[in-house]
Amino acid sequence: MSGIAHHLVKRGIEHTHDRYRTGTFAHDGDNKPFGHPHIVAAALVITALLWFFALSAVEYIYGNVVATLTMIETPTATAFKVDPVESDEADAPLLSSDEKKSTTTEPDLFYVKTKPITSKIRTTIRHIVAEAGPWARFRGLQVALAYHFIHHILFQVLTALFGGAIISQSLAAVVTAVVLCRLQMLWTHVVISTPSEKKWYRRFPTIDAGKKVILPTAVWALAEQATIFVPIALFVVFDLEGYFRNPAAFNELSPMQQKSVMLATFAVIMSGFATAVLVVFPANVTLKRVQASLLPEEIDSIVPFDRTFGGKVQPQVVGGTGVVSMLDAWKTFDWSARFRLIKLYAKIFAIQVSATVFFILFAVFQVRMINGDYILY
């Protein structure tokens, strides 16, 4: 969604710049001078920046912080003890004191699972703000900026070394992710842990812990690349390149052939979506939960978190591995948690769409206010 909106905004700014350069603007089929090109250009640039920061904030707060907490939270259960009571009914059988002692039963225990903190965006934000202050919405942001900055530089260097082909770029992306696996794990730990007096760069996981996340990081990175290669492969198999290079060739097809091309195009688009849901989604959840299992024992999590993953993980001090396996990381993420995370992603998408529509309408409103009836087309 962010990529599509970015492309539309870029095209709109380029189109507007061309109109400004010629000094004309289209209105009712006539070319008329555009009144305040510099003011409108400034207004559109400011609006585009506000849109960018708004979507970035939504993506980070909800798509990273809240989503990560949703992936690792383990709902707690509260135990209630119910003591047996004697019957007060008139026809209840009379028992001697010895008989009463022999029939005494143990109190019944009932366990009620509490509602997860991450069941709603509002409750999640309210909880982390109460625990870590108003800036908790952006917890881990410094690590995220450092990660993306180093990732960008390293990716560019590796791409230059491996070559500019798309397969080389994918290889560079996977290698970059693996090299930075400790920094990415640190990012996860800062997000899920309670506030610490230590600076984030003093909380780096050990090299031994980093080795344990190499495989899940590589699987996640490969899954991300699959969302690119699967649609490209289908695009080539269906031989759609010619129609995109020469759209006029599509009009020369019969109605049945046109339907086939449109179905093939739809299949290519849906293949990317299906890959993201069926491959990237489990790989991302698995990686986050493996990283969370390596959270140092002296650090508490900001949401309830079962470090044993249902008894499948034993600490190293008692001879265990101290890390959850990839299979157990996914299997212990039950269906209720999966649906909760999917609902969160759907809400994020809806918020991003709504924000994009709002800023587009706001940009149109600004142009009309500054230049009367003149409007972009």
Side-chain angles (χ1 to χ4, degrees):
M1 179 62 204
S2 299
I4 295 173
H6 172 76
H7 177 71
L8 294 175
V9 170
K10 181 180 177 183
R11 290 293 299 273
I13 292 176
E14 291 174 351
H15 178 77
T16 305
H17 179 266
D18 292 339
R19 287 292 181 178
Y20 293 155
R21 196 158 43 85
T22 59
T24 60
F25 222 83
H27 176 68
D28 295 335
D30 300 325
N31 286 333
K32 297 182 180 181
F34 195 71
H36 308 283
H38 299 296
I39 297 177
V40 172
L44 290 178
V45 169
I46 292 173
T47 302
L49 288 174
L50 290 174
W51 166 83
F52 172 77
F53 285 116
L55 259 65
S56 298
V58 169
E59 179 64 27
Y60 189 80
I61 297 172
Y62 303 146
N64 285 286
V65 175
V66 177
T68 300
L69 295 177
T70 303
M71 292 177 195
I72 66 106
E73 183 184 9
T74 307
T76 56
T78 304
F80 294 92
K81 183 175 71 173
V82 179
D83 294 321
V85 296
E86 296 183 7
S87 175
D88 293 330
E89 296 180 7
D91 57 349
L94 296 176
L95 299 177
S96 65
S97 58
D98 293 335
E99 289 175 323
K100 287 183 179 181
K101 290 180 181 179
S102 63
T103 57
T104 299
T105 58
E106 294 294 330
D108 293 325
L109 289 178
F110 295 91
Y111 291 91
V112 178
K113 184 177 288 188
T114 58
K115 194 173 184 180
I117 294 172
T118 56
S119 59
K120 293 182 180 179
I121 292 177
R122 183 180 301 177
T123 56
T124 307
I125 298 298
R126 187 183 301 154
H127 173 77
I128 62 176
V129 167
E131 292 287 330
W135 290 102
R137 297 176 176 87
F138 297 96
R139 56 194 356 253
L141 181 59
Q142 291 179 321
V143 190
L145 293 175
Y147 174 81
H148 288 298
F149 177 74
I150 300 173
H151 185 285
H152 175 74
I153 293 177
L154 184 57
F155 174 75
Q156 295 299 328
V157 172
L158 292 177
T159 301
L161 291 175
F162 296 157
I166 187 170
I167 186 68
S168 301
Q169 293 180 7
S170 295
L171 178 61
V174 174
V175 173
T176 301
V178 171
V179 170
L180 298 179
C181 64
R182 286 177 64 203
L183 182 57
Q184 189 185 29
M185 179 162 55
L186 171 63
W187 181 11
T188 299
H189 287 180
V190 172
V191 169
I192 68 174
S193 63
T194 53
S196 173
E197 295 181 355
K198 289 184 178 180
K199 296 294 185 180
W200 64 267
Y201 49 81
R202 296 184 180 278
R203 297 175 56 185
F204 258 94
T206 63
I207 295 177
D208 183 58
K211 293 178 181 179
K212 295 176 180 179
V213 296
I214 289 178
L215 180 57
T217 301
V219 171
W220 165 75
L222 288 170
E224 292 257 306
Q225 296 307 308
T227 60
I228 300 174
F229 277 98
V230 171
I232 288 178
L234 291 179
F235 189 82
V236 173
V237 169
F238 292 141
D239 195 22
L240 297 176
E241 184 178 2
Y243 301 111
F244 281 84
R245 289 183 178 273
N246 182 22
F250 178 79
N251 297 327
E252 298 174 359
L253 300 175
S254 65
M256 185 62 68
Q257 290 175 321
Q258 289 181 346
K259 289 181 180 179
S260 298
V261 171
M262 288 189 289
L263 285 175
T265 303
F266 178 74
V268 170
I269 296 172
M270 291 305 298
S271 68
F273 175 77
T275 305
V277 173
L278 300 177
V279 181
V280 178
F281 180 83
N284 189 33
V285 170
T286 299
L287 174 60
K288 295 292 185 185
R289 290 174 66 80
V290 171
Q291 291 172 338
S293 70
L294 291 165
L295 183 70
E297 294 183 10
E298 67 273 11
I299 300 177
D300 295 325
S301 59
I302 200 167
V303 295
F305 171 49
D306 178 16
R307 295 171 182 258
T308 69
F309 290 83
K312 298 183 180 297
V313 178
Q314 294 294 328
Q316 287 183 307
V317 293
V318 295
T321 60
V323 62
V324 68
S325 68
M326 293 178 62
L327 182 60
D328 288 335
W330 175 247
K331 288 172 63 177
T332 54
F333 190 64
D334 59 26
W335 279 104
S336 62
R338 296 174 192 179
F339 284 128
R340 192 163 69 248
L341 185 58
I342 291 172
K343 284 171 57 179
L344 172 63
Y345 284 142
K347 291 177 182 178
I348 294 171
F349 179 76
I351 292 172
Q352 290 179 326
V353 170
S354 301
T356 301
V357 171
F358 169 78
F359 278 105
I360 290 174
L361 295 177
F362 183 58
V364 172
F365 172 76
Q366 288 179 102
V367 174
R368 293 187 66 92
M369 287 294 293
I370 297 172
N371 293 281
D373 293 331
Y374 294 103
I375 188 168
L376 303 176
Y377 77 95

